[in-house]
Amino acid sequence: MNTVILKAGYAKVDVTPAYSVPLGGYGDSAERFHTHVLEPLCAACVAVSDGENTLLLFHIDQVAITTETCTQWREELAEKYGIPAEQILLNVTHSHSTPDIRCEIQEALRYKEELRQAILALPAPALEDLAEAKIYIASGEVKGWNFVRRELMADGTYAGDNFGTWKNNRILGHETEADHVMQAVRLTREGKKDILLVNWQAHPHPTGSADHLALSSDVVGRLRDTAEEEHDVHFAFFQGCGGNISSTTRIQSERISHDYRDIARGLADGLTKVLQTLRPVRSGPVRAVTKVFSAPVNHNWDDRVETAEKIVAYRQTHDHEETRAFAKENGFNSIYHANAVIRRAGLPETLEYSIGAVSFGQVCIAWAPNELFDTAGKFLKETLPFEMSFACGYTNGAQSYMPTVRAFYHGGYGCDICNYAPGATEKLTMELLELGRKLDP
């Protein structure tokens, strides 16, 4: 007989800056201060408690928050609310049209402190809102709005959608089929609004690429507003494993792109269909587990640092296209590749940071701070011993792309600019699986 009574609460706050800030996601933040707002930014907190243990699950409209900052904020939250840090998740939407709080620019530092204060205050109303909740889950494919952006070109290379190599090169196909599964957990509450948690995977960056100086929560923000209105719920989005996934694609040499509002509308319609499959699952205790992961660093290019530095210096007096050509002449894929080689040369043999999993009843969230590829996320969702498992990258830190061995074999986008050696993804995936199994309901 199920004797565990879960309670859930929710709070949300607007975190749109009232002044111009540098935006993250597309190169040098100092050259990209926003001039207007398309969609406001918010942060939301879902509290889930079994009376003894409580989870604080944050949805934050941010491109990235460093691991060091996440650690600091989680420790502050733990001290303020008496909830262990391992039970606190900070998941960012990864919108490329949000403030870059990783840089040292004055406006970014100002906004970072304002966001910190908002995050620290948010659990209070969420905990006050706690009410008995029952768990319902649903999942289904929502196709047409996310695509694998590692594309096989006619010249045999694998290109990504932000390097422009598709312009003069015929596309033969995608490396893999994208994970189109959307997952939802609905926490139904008597006398209060239900809380809807949605897990999906894609870079939500159509606004940034089309309207470079717009501040926006992009696809996720519009989806959130639509879902809250159409389903009368509180909404929290948990970004999945979308390192190799985009919301745009190409046919031959033509970009097939959608306005972010169209993508959000398509996802909202898909969510409505997914929610038609809602079914109850049993409740259960709140649990959490974490460990330190040791990720092997790729030092294979350390002997090319001098050449990489020449490419970076070349960029100071030449435009992006000229620099790309110069990089190619010197055996590099791009300026980003050159910067990565310089960065990796200064790193130790392994990078260490926390990964983990939390659960309540038959729902599990496995998390890591990396931009994992969707095949890793799909494996975890299908293999973890829960009725519903979210696999979330972009959580509790920012630790670079983590391509699969298959992607490393093919080379190209994501592999040349990440910190990691081949096999790191598979190692991390198996360790997340073992952590999730420790929470086996």
Side-chain angles (χ1 to χ4, degrees), residues 410-430:
H410 289 151
Y413 177 74
C415 303
D416 50 11
I417 62 174
C418 78
N419 289 330
Y420 305 108
T425 289
E426 289 70 21
K427 180 175 185 283
L428 183 146
T429 302
M430 293 308 298

Side-chain angles (χ1 to χ4, degrees), residues 137-158:
I137 63 172
S139 66
E141 287 196 329
V142 181
K143 292 187 174 183
W145 307 107
N146 66 342
F147 308 88
V148 170
R149 60 182 182 166
R150 283 176 48 80
E151 294 144 336
L152 175 60
M153 315 303 288
D155 63 4
T157 62
Y158 279 83

Side-chain angles (χ1 to χ4, degrees), residues 15 40-44 59-63 91-95 98-99 111 115 216-217 220-221 224:
V15 292
L41 312 184
C42 89
H59 146 131
I60 307 170
D61 286 328
Q62 270 291 299
V63 61
N91 178 269
V92 300
T93 59
H94 200 52
S95 168
T98 56
Y111 179 76
L115 181 61
S216 180
S217 53
V220 175
R224 176 177 59 237

Side-chain angles (χ1 to χ4, degrees), residues 43-90:
C45 177
V46 179
V48 181
S49 179
D50 63 6
E52 295 185 7
N53 295 300
T54 300
L55 300 176
L56 297 178
L57 310 174
F58 286 85
H59 146 131
I60 307 170
D61 286 328
Q62 270 291 299
V63 61
I65 305 176
T66 68
T67 305
E68 293 74 20
T69 296
C70 283
T71 299
Q72 175 194 333
W73 290 2
R74 292 167 72 212
E75 289 174 349
E76 290 183 272
L77 287 163
E79 181 177 357
K80 182 173 182 178
Y81 295 100
I83 296 171
E86 67 181 16
Q87 294 167 207
I88 301 171
L89 305 189
L90 305 177

Side-chain angles (χ1 to χ4, degrees), residues 105-139:
I105 298 172
Q106 182 178 355
E107 292 86 349
L109 294 173
R110 175 184 172 186
Y111 179 76
K112 179 181 179 180
E113 177 57 24
E114 292 175 0
L115 181 61
R116 170 183 166 272
Q117 294 291 344
I119 295 298
L120 292 180
L122 202 50
L127 293 168
E128 186 177 342
D129 186 54
L130 283 173
E132 187 172 333
K134 295 181 179 179
I135 308 172
Y136 289 78
I137 63 172
S139 66

Side-chain angles (χ1 to χ4, degrees), residues 10 12 18 26 36-37 42 59 87 99 117 126 136 143 150 166 173 178 198 211 227 254 372-373 380 399:
Y10 180 91
K12 181 175 70 173
Y26 294 104
H36 56 293
V37 177
C42 89
H59 146 131
Q87 294 167 207
Q117 294 291 344
Y136 289 78
K143 292 187 174 183
R150 283 176 48 80
W166 57 272
V198 173
D211 195 349
E254 296 298 322
L372 290 164
F373 280 26
L380 288 168
Q399 287 291 336

